[in-house]
Amino acid sequence: MPKTALLNLKGEKIKDIKLDDNVWGIKPNDQVIYEHINLSMANARQGSHSVKTRSEVSGGGRKPWRQKGTGNARQGSTRAPHWVGGGVVFGPSSNRNYTKKMNKKERRLALKSALTYKAKANEVVAIEKFDVKTNKTRDMIKLLSDLNLTGKLLIVTTELTENEVLATRNINSIKLILANELNTYDVLSYDKLVITEDALKYVEEVLK
């Protein structure tokens, strides 16, 4: 059974806590992880790209020259695709939907696989609570320094206060989320998973 140290905000070890094998110690499924990340990136696409076809481009209502007798190839419109300023052939359309779907069991398996990789790499940091007294960025940086945390950090807690949101929003290497928002893409996108004791219990209760 994997385990990790539970720290207070000063970086001092309080105790060792055991991690649930059903969440942090399963056999990872790389294919499901790949499919879930692919889904996350696809669903994040706006799909607002669009170009005009020859029927939508302004102008070109008359033939540029008569059909015969000029020595030029026959042309019906100056808005045909091979003309400068003409329409685009097979271009992107805003009607396209990039959304993908995935079964609930597969989503859970992907998340548990990602959490297992984090636990095996010792990249899970459990803290007693995430209590920020001020909304100052410098105070947040000091707190992370006391915990000896560097790199890209995903901080997971059960509730967000205004101080926590304001203190972390100017630090690009930190993402602060609620425990019920935890997902495979974020877990694998950050170097370390910093999770409060309450959030840890919540995640295990939901996923096991």
Side-chain angles (χ1 to χ4, degrees), residues 169-182:
R169 68 177 181 178
N170 287 332
I171 307 176
N172 294 330
S173 60
I174 292 178
K175 183 171 184 179
L176 182 64
I177 63 173
L178 291 170
N180 59 3
E181 298 173 343
L182 189 64

Side-chain angles (χ1 to χ4, degrees), residues 9-175:
L9 292 181
K10 295 181 180 179
E12 300 167 343
K13 179 178 176 180
I14 300 175
K15 61 179 179 179
D16 284 327
I17 55 175
K18 294 181 179 179
L19 303 177
D20 194 326
D21 273 335
N22 294 323
V23 177
W24 307 88
I26 69 167
K27 181 179 179 181
N29 189 316
D30 293 340
Q31 181 62 31
V32 175
I33 290 178
Y34 166 77
E35 290 175 359
H36 193 278
I37 291 178
N38 199 359
L39 173 145
S40 300
M41 297 178 70
N43 291 355
R45 298 185 68 171
Q46 292 184 342
S48 57
H49 46 26
S50 180
V51 295
K52 292 184 178 181
T53 64
R54 64 180 295 170
S55 65
E56 298 169 321
V57 177
S58 177
R62 58 175 292 181
K63 287 169 68 67
W65 50 75
R66 65 180 189 269
Q67 182 83 346
K68 296 179 179 293
T70 64
N72 296 317
R74 54 194 174 187
Q75 302 291 334
S77 170
T78 57
R79 291 301 177 257
H82 58 278
W83 281 72
V84 174
V88 177
V89 181
F90 304 131
S93 169
S94 58
N95 294 326
R96 181 169 179 179
N97 183 6
Y98 290 97
T99 304
K100 295 185 178 182
K101 294 183 179 180
M102 189 179 235
N103 294 334
K104 187 175 181 179
K105 286 185 177 180
E106 290 180 308
R107 290 174 182 266
R108 286 172 176 256
L109 178 58
L111 179 53
K112 289 194 288 186
S113 297
L115 293 175
T116 297
Y117 276 125
K118 284 295 180 186
K120 287 183 176 180
N122 294 321
E123 294 175 349
V124 178
V125 179
I127 56 178
E128 185 179 17
K129 59 182 178 179
F130 190 64
D131 186 18
V132 182
K133 301 298 182 183
T134 70
N135 59 8
K136 302 296 184 182
T137 302
R138 63 173 177 267
D139 293 335
M140 174 58 64
I141 293 175
K142 183 180 184 304
L143 186 150
L144 297 177
S145 177
D146 292 340
L147 291 169
N148 197 26
L149 294 174
T150 57
K152 296 177 64 178
L153 306 174
L154 178 64
I155 302 176
V156 185
T157 183
T158 52
E159 59 179 344
L160 297 179
T161 65
E162 184 177 2
N163 281 347
E164 292 167 359
V165 174
L166 293 177
T168 58
R169 68 177 181 178
N170 287 332
I171 307 176
N172 294 330
S173 60
I174 292 178
K175 183 171 184 179

